[in-house]
Amino acid sequence: MKSNNSINVPQAKEAMNKFKMQAASEVGVNLTGGYNGHLTSREAGSVGGQMVKKMIEAYEQGMQ
């Protein structure tokens, strides 16, 4: 089964990396540029969860 974890708009890659670093900072996870294999599943999940939380908040703000 092919993974679909690619960014559809190549120009958005830098913005997504910045967003990821910001979310990691907010939850206290130390990310580095490139591969972050040292992270635990809990740390990686907290970064992803924070990103989703921020996206939902932005969407809800747009609905008002």
Side-chain angles (χ1 to χ4, degrees):
M1 179 179 250
K2 183 181 177 219
S3 175
N4 196 17
N5 289 339
S6 62
I7 294 176
N8 292 331
V9 180
Q11 297 83 355
K13 187 171 187 162
E14 184 58 37
M16 286 301 291
N17 283 333
K18 184 177 176 183
F19 182 47
K20 178 173 60 174
M21 295 302 253
Q22 179 185 9
S25 175
E26 290 173 2
V27 294
V29 174
N30 185 24
L31 284 185
T32 59
Y35 182 67
N36 286 287
H38 65 282
L39 295 180
T40 65
S41 295
R42 176 180 224 132
E43 290 171 324
S46 68
V47 172
Q50 183 69 2
M51 290 174 73
V52 170
K53 179 181 173 185
K54 292 293 215 178
M55 287 185 272
I56 291 171
E57 287 174 355
Y59 179 79
E60 288 176 341
Q61 288 295 323
M63 291 178 64
Q64 296 178 358

